[in-house]
Amino acid sequence: MKNELTKIKLFQNLDKEALKELLTMVKIKEYKKGDLLYSNKEKIHTIYFILEGVASLYKPNPDNTKKVVFLFGNGDVLNEVILYDNITLLSCELLTTTKLLEIDRKDFVKILEKSYPLAKAVIESLISKNRVMSHQIKNTSNSITVDRQIAFTLYKLACDFGINVDFGTEINFDLSITYLSEILGAKRETVSRQTKVLSNLGLISVKRKRFTIPNLENLLKYFNGTFETSL
């Protein structure tokens, strides 16, 4: 169990006493792909950390679509925001078979009050998420075309969740055009059309909901407007 704790980013600078206390409080559970961990505005009492897998945090829309706000992977904390108010602000869906480390909110607060490194790590995590949201607002503005939004999103996902394969970097979870449109906040038809543009340029490959990026640098160049095509 101690080895599992050290996989979590928030716990990597903790002293032995804090880790020892955490060991008495945590439990590990496995979930299936597609499970809804919690819903928007639900009252929950558990802090969740990803040991293995991918989780999507999203805001449900009135028309039953989603606006995906965050995608998290190994080592990430999902909902430290409930430390201050145990009402969730987003829904959480698991995109792969996922192993979670779980701690009761009240137990976690007890350690937080005694451990400066942990408190600092929580604050830094919240700041990081605010920065991600700021970048999302910038990159989904009307001044950036959908094709460039797709290019940057896939570049970022490949950096965060990519694995090396024969033909480049594969995003290591199923990503449908519908879900990509929910990440971008754009119409599915538009995303489908612009994805084909990137595919025809050889910047991406899509097979059975798996995106592969042959050259990450070229995709970033496309986003920045410096990619030169030979077509």
Side-chain angles (χ1 to χ4, degrees):
M1 181 74 82
K2 184 177 180 180
N3 289 337
E4 301 283 29
L5 279 180
T6 58
K7 295 178 181 178
I8 304 302
K9 297 171 186 175
L10 250 61
F11 301 156
Q12 289 177 354
N13 294 317
L14 296 190
D15 57 72
K16 292 181 180 179
E17 287 302 315
L19 286 173
K20 184 177 179 181
E21 191 170 358
L22 276 170
L23 282 172
T24 67
M25 301 174 173
V26 300
K27 59 182 179 180
I28 293 174
K29 289 183 65 176
E30 291 194 11
Y31 295 85
K32 295 180 296 184
K33 174 184 174 181
D35 280 353
L36 186 66
L37 189 63
Y38 53 80
S39 300
N40 178 48
K41 295 183 180 179
E42 181 179 346
K43 190 171 185 178
I44 59 175
H45 305 279
T46 303
I47 310 292
Y48 297 101
F49 304 83
I50 301 178
L51 290 171
E52 297 174 11
V54 181
S56 166
L57 269 64
Y58 66 89
K59 193 78 171 177
N61 293 323
D63 61 357
N64 292 322
T65 62
K66 307 167 185 172
K67 176 60 184 87
V68 177
V69 182
F70 298 109
L71 288 172
F72 292 125
N74 298 356
D76 290 328
V77 55
L78 293 178
N79 61 331
E80 71 273 38
V81 68
I82 71 160
L83 290 170
Y84 307 99
D85 184 356
N86 63 340
I87 302 296
T88 60
L89 302 178
L90 301 167
S91 297
C92 179
E93 178 185 9
L94 304 178
L95 302 186
T96 65
T97 299
T98 302
K99 183 189 292 185
L100 297 179
L101 188 148
E102 304 178 0
I103 305 177
D104 182 86
R105 174 177 175 261
K106 290 181 179 179
D107 289 337
F108 190 77
V109 169
K110 289 177 183 177
I111 301 178
L112 191 68
E113 290 172 343
K114 296 183 288 185
S115 173
Y116 171 76
L118 182 57
K120 181 173 180 288
V122 168
I123 292 170
E124 289 174 346
S125 177
L126 291 169
I127 291 172
S128 175
K129 288 177 180 176
N130 281 333
R131 286 176 178 163
V132 169
M133 292 184 69
S134 296
H135 284 301
Q136 279 191 341
I137 292 170
K138 177 182 177 182
N139 292 332
T140 56
S141 68
N142 292 331
S143 63
I144 301 178
T145 56
V146 174
D147 57 329
R148 291 174 61 210
Q149 291 178 35
I150 294 171
F152 182 79
T153 298
L154 294 178
Y155 170 81
K156 187 67 169 61
L157 291 176
C159 289
D160 291 345
F161 303 102
I163 57 172
N164 293 326
V165 294
D166 291 341
F167 303 104
T169 305
E170 180 184 280
I171 297 172
N172 195 26
F173 61 89
D174 290 350
L175 179 62
S176 66
I177 295 297
T178 298
Y179 217 92
L180 183 56
S181 69
E182 290 172 341
I183 293 174
L184 296 168
K187 292 182 178 180
R188 186 194 182 284
E189 295 78 7
T190 304
V191 173
S192 178
R193 186 168 58 251
Q194 296 304 321
T195 298
K196 288 178 182 177
V197 171
L198 297 180
S199 180
N200 290 338
L201 289 172
L203 292 169
I204 65 173
S205 174
V206 189
K207 292 182 180 178
R208 298 186 182 91
K209 298 183 181 180
R210 289 283 175 148
F211 281 77
T212 302
I213 319 301
N215 187 307
L216 286 172
E217 184 179 349
N218 282 344
L219 197 60
L220 188 59
K221 284 180 179 179
Y222 187 91
F223 169 73
N224 290 323
T226 59
F227 175 72
E228 295 182 4
T229 177
S230 58
L231 297 179

